[in-house]
Amino acid sequence: MIDTLPPLREVISAHDLQPKKALGQNFLLDLNLTAKIARQAGDLSGCDVLEIGPGPGGLTRGLLSEGARKVLAVEKDPRCIAALEQISDAYPGQLTIINADALELDVSAHLTPPIKVVANLPYNVGTELLVRWLTPKIWPPYWDSLTLMFQKEVAMRIVAKPGSKAYGRLAILAGWRSDARLVMNLPPEAFSPPPKVHSAVVHLKRLQAPRFEADAKVLSHVVATAFNQRRKMLRSSLKCISPDIETILISAGIKPTERAERISLEGFCALAREISRNK
Ligand code: SAM
């Protein structure tokens, strides 16, 4: 038992939290498991934790029982708020709940460094937030690490190596500014209701400085464009970026006939710098 609050099944039925598909609600019910996920974020004492999508609060309770100084929980579904307030009562002054869409909210003002982000989110929201966390203009960002649950296939894309099938935008952005590792696998049965796919937790520790210089916006755009048509030669997939793309590719040390999956992070950063120079 990690705390004296009621089991999650009771919380869900007491607050009538029928899972909603549209919000990607697959809840974790085993508090030993949520505490284990919380531990993947490292030592939480002395840290503020941003949790996106707490739902009925399984992971929130894991984070607090593992010693987080403070948790800021951002949940879109208003039905979950009363359940989360019970957790707040059990940990006075340590849990702040915001009922909002995480894609619309600037959270940095509510947090004090050091800050860790921990979340179990629906796939599309998780990927969008991950890209935003990795591509602010100024680096280092407000957070020290991200510990995020994804469907396994997405987790593999984040930690993929060049040349592999999973290599693409997510691997490049993650590798550019962080050390990313897959730290835990979870079967569908860990969730209620069980999703169709396996899940995995990825831990990203931010680097103090990006591995190679590049403008975040330009890099993100060029990589997304190149992998959008990953089978095509770069001179053709990147034509929409500049009419001089062949010359730019050559100046960046990349053969225009090469395909995106064969280009290293260093190569893409060189290309982003050349594109910025030619703007
Ligand atoms: N963290 C809980 C757990 O592990 O059991 C719930 C995980 S469930 C996969 C995802 C949660 O994210 C749901 O509670 C859902 O309502 C919430 N959510 C979905 N989209 C969101 C958004 N844009 N902003 C904030 N929360 C969101």
Side-chain angles (χ1 to χ4, degrees), residues 23-28 51 53-55 74-76 100-102 120 122:
L23 285 168
Q25 291 184 335
N26 301 96
F27 299 134
L28 290 163
E51 187 195 358
V74 180
E75 173 55 59
K76 188 171 174 180
D101 183 336
N120 171 19

Side-chain angles (χ1 to χ4, degrees), residues 222-270:
V222 73
V223 167
T225 312
F227 282 97
N228 212 7
Q229 298 173 296
R230 59 189 296 142
R231 297 260 143 243
K232 283 199 173 171
M233 292 178 191
L234 290 169
R235 68 175 176 206
S236 133
S237 59
L238 295 180
K239 217 161 39 195
C240 55
I241 288 194
S242 163
D244 300 325
I245 197 64
E246 286 222 34
T247 321
I248 294 175
L249 281 162
I250 293 164
S251 315
I254 298 171
K255 275 201 220 140
T257 51
E258 212 47 291
R259 289 173 173 80
E261 58 203 8
R262 305 224 335 128
I263 308 302
S264 65
L265 167 62
E266 187 171 12
F268 272 114
C269 290

Side-chain angles (χ1 to χ4, degrees), residues 8 12 20 22-29 34 37 51-60 74-80 98-104 118-126 129 149 191-192:
L8 283 158
I12 288 169
K20 282 191 183 169
L23 285 168
Q25 291 184 335
N26 301 96
F27 299 134
L28 290 163
L29 300 185
T34 62
I37 296 167
E51 187 195 358
I52 309 287
L59 186 53
T60 321
V74 180
E75 173 55 59
K76 188 171 174 180
D77 185 352
R79 299 178 309 156
C80 298
I98 300 184
N99 182 200
D101 183 336
L103 294 167
E104 310 284 329
V118 182
N120 171 19
L121 272 168
Y123 152 73
N124 55 341
V125 183
L129 284 172
M149 176 98 67
F191 302 86
S192 173

Side-chain angles (χ1 to χ4, degrees), residues 41 86 97 172 180 190 228 231 259 278:
Q86 279 189 332
I97 305 150
I172 289 167
N228 212 7
R231 297 260 143 243
R259 289 173 173 80
N278 279 274

Side-chain angles (χ1 to χ4, degrees), residues 62-192:
L63 292 164
L64 288 163
S65 76
E66 287 299 316
R69 173 177 64 193
K70 202 186 124 180
V71 175
L72 174 67
V74 180
E75 173 55 59
K76 188 171 174 180
D77 185 352
R79 299 178 309 156
C80 298
I81 304 305
L84 294 166
E85 276 166 356
Q86 279 189 332
I87 306 174
S88 177
D89 292 342
Y91 290 91
Q94 281 183 271
L95 174 61
T96 305
I97 305 150
I98 300 184
N99 182 200
D101 183 336
L103 294 167
E104 310 284 329
L105 187 74
D106 176 13
V107 288
S108 55
H110 300 273
L111 295 158
T112 311
I115 298 160
K116 294 185 171 185
V117 180
V118 182
N120 171 19
L121 272 168
Y123 152 73
N124 55 341
V125 183
T127 315
E128 170 64 26
L129 284 172
L130 173 65
V131 170
R132 290 191 197 182
W133 280 319
L134 288 169
T135 56
K137 192 160 180 53
I138 310 286
W139 198 263
Y142 68 85
W143 53 269
D144 287 322
S145 67
L146 309 172
T147 306
L148 308 170
M149 176 98 67
F150 287 100
Q151 49 185 85
K152 176 101 186 254
E153 186 216 320
V154 178
M156 300 301 285
R157 281 200 248 144
I158 297 167
V159 300
K161 299 276 172 276
S164 66
K165 246 174 86 183
Y167 181 65
R169 178 177 71 133
L170 294 181
I172 289 167
L173 295 180
W176 180 43
R177 284 175 154 178
S178 79
D179 277 324
R181 285 183 302 127
L182 199 154
V183 290
M184 218 174 137
N185 286 301
L186 286 97
E189 311 80 74
F191 302 86
S192 173

